[in-house]
Amino acid sequence: MTTNADEPQTRPRRRTPAGAAVLREDVTEAIRAAVFEELAVSGYARMSIEGIARRAGVGKTAVYRRWRSKLHLVLDVVSALAVMGLPVPDTGSLEGDLRLLYELTSRALRHPVASQIIPDLQAEAARNPDIAEAMQKALRDGQEGVASKIIAAAEQRGEVRAGINDELALDLISGPLYWRSVVIRSPKLPKGYLPALAKATAAALKAL
């Protein structure tokens, strides 16, 4: 018989091996959601396990059963962003795919929580190599997976040459939008910015 590690037992039971404890997935997800909210409100330096547990509606022990420290909790949550991924656009043209990608990415980056969390973690990354590695994975790997498929589709359609430089292509695709959204943190994109960016990027990729 297994026990639920997140709920107290209501009657005496035979002790089960520690490895048999079941961690409720809904509690785990509540904690992860609380981490994003705490990062947005307090920032990494001021956030605490106590605050995360309180916001998630669980005890601190529920957090420590899953992660041994604040750092490991944040690294896990940030790293999970890399596997969430963006849908791969399939509009039938390179410029159309880029425009849809930019619209989706811009919307995600401008979400109130993301707009607070990413700059804060970037500042922490300068001091903590573990956070820097997790941030690179979360921000780069997700974009790289989508961008590589956009380029592969463009190659098949003959819009870009075969064997295009993938690293340079990724920089051209992702760099401008992250610069404006994350570094400059412009509150609003200029009118027509995303279509113009998609057109310019497509032209640059075709010139490689």
Side-chain angles (χ1 to χ4, degrees), residues 120-200:
D120 181 69
L121 288 181
Q122 283 181 321
E124 290 294 332
R127 299 184 286 270
N128 190 314
D130 290 328
I131 291 181
E133 182 179 356
M135 284 292 292
Q136 180 178 13
K137 182 175 181 61
L139 294 177
R140 186 176 180 84
D141 287 9
Q143 284 282 319
E144 189 169 27
V146 176
S148 64
K149 292 176 181 177
I150 289 176
I151 293 300
E155 285 185 8
Q156 291 180 349
R157 292 190 297 262
E159 293 181 278
V160 298
R161 69 175 181 81
I164 191 173
N165 186 319
D166 290 337
E167 285 290 318
L168 184 54
L170 177 62
D171 290 344
L172 286 171
I173 292 172
S174 301
L177 191 57
Y178 274 93
W179 169 262
R180 180 170 287 274
S181 298
V182 178
V183 180
I184 299 179
R185 301 184 68 186
S186 174
K188 187 176 181 180
L189 292 175
K191 184 177 180 179
Y193 178 81
L194 294 181
L197 177 60
K199 183 176 183 179

Side-chain angles (χ1 to χ4, degrees), residues 1-5 9 13 16-17 19-22:
M1 181 180 299
T2 59
T3 63
N4 189 316
Q9 300 303 307
R13 293 187 181 183
T16 55
V22 177

